[in-house]
Amino acid sequence: TTVPRVDAYRHLGTWMSALGGLKTAREGVERRCRGLVAAVARLGVLNAAQYVEAVDIGTTSVVAYYGAATPLGRPVCEAIDAAKRVGLAALGHRLWRTGRWLAHAPPAEGGMGMAYTYAHAAATLAEAVDRGLRAQEGVPIRTAVVTAIERRYWELGCRMARPLDWHPMHILG
């Protein structure tokens, strides 16, 4: 029998590329958010505040769900934010060439208050790492987070047996 060739596979609920990267998962999150934004924009009856609230709730929910297991990165988040601004322009609430600050600035400053996706993605990932570090010894999430941190420390040149135990008090004075 022949083994089928695959470009991507699902591992613990996250799509992975066959070469081991998270590119497929990131593309899936971006595609899902773009689809959600397009569906809300197609409604055509929302005012600017309603549209901003709807797409922010939808996209931040998707980012919070997938972002804990998949570091999204700035390019994906900027593409999602661009899609949200395009939808705002398609509804006639913003000119096509208006600066992005208008969409993201708080309403008190004359903006529309649209959330930055990158901030939510970073917060989601930070919360997942914190949850992993606070977990009890031997729990899979703790093992995964500690292993990833220790591997990164090793790549940066740290050769301690347990780099998470390092407390640089001598630096503080």
Side-chain angles (χ1 to χ4, degrees):
T1 64
T2 59
V3 177
R5 178 173 165 76
V6 295
D7 295 326
Y9 62 95
R10 195 172 195 105
H11 177 69
L12 299 176
T14 301
W15 281 100
M16 306 282 287
S17 67
L19 300 176
L22 292 169
K23 181 181 176 192
T24 307
R26 289 185 186 107
E27 289 171 351
V29 171
E30 182 181 343
R31 191 171 43 254
R32 188 172 296 252
C33 286
R34 282 178 176 271
L36 189 139
V37 167
V40 172
R42 276 194 303 270
L43 291 175
V45 296
L46 302 177
N47 64 31
Q50 292 169 332
Y51 171 81
V52 167
E53 184 177 2
V55 296
D56 279 348
I57 289 171
T59 57
T60 55
S61 297
V62 171
V63 166
Y65 182 78
Y66 292 102
T70 306
L72 296 179
R74 192 173 297 274
V76 170
C77 294
E78 287 179 356
I80 293 168
D81 285 341
K84 294 192 306 189
R85 289 190 302 271
V86 165
L88 199 56
L91 288 171
H93 300 304
R94 174 182 172 270
L95 296 176
W96 290 98
R97 304 293 292 173
T98 305
R100 66 178 73 179
W101 70 268
L102 179 64
H104 295 287
E109 296 177 13
M112 297 182 174
M114 188 178 290
Y116 280 105
T117 304
Y118 186 74
H120 288 278
T124 298
L125 190 59
E127 190 276 330
V129 170
D130 181 57
R131 190 170 12 101
L133 290 174
R134 286 185 290 113
Q136 294 178 358
E137 206 59 50
V139 175
I141 189 171
R142 179 172 174 81
T143 304
V145 169
V146 169
T147 302
I149 291 172
E150 288 177 348
R151 184 178 59 229
R152 184 66 178 145
Y153 274 46
W154 184 269
E155 291 170 358
L156 294 173
C158 177
R159 299 296 184 253
M160 295 175 56
R162 292 185 53 91
L164 290 178
D165 293 338
W166 183 55
H167 299 287
M169 298 308 289
H170 64 283
I171 295 174
L172 299 175

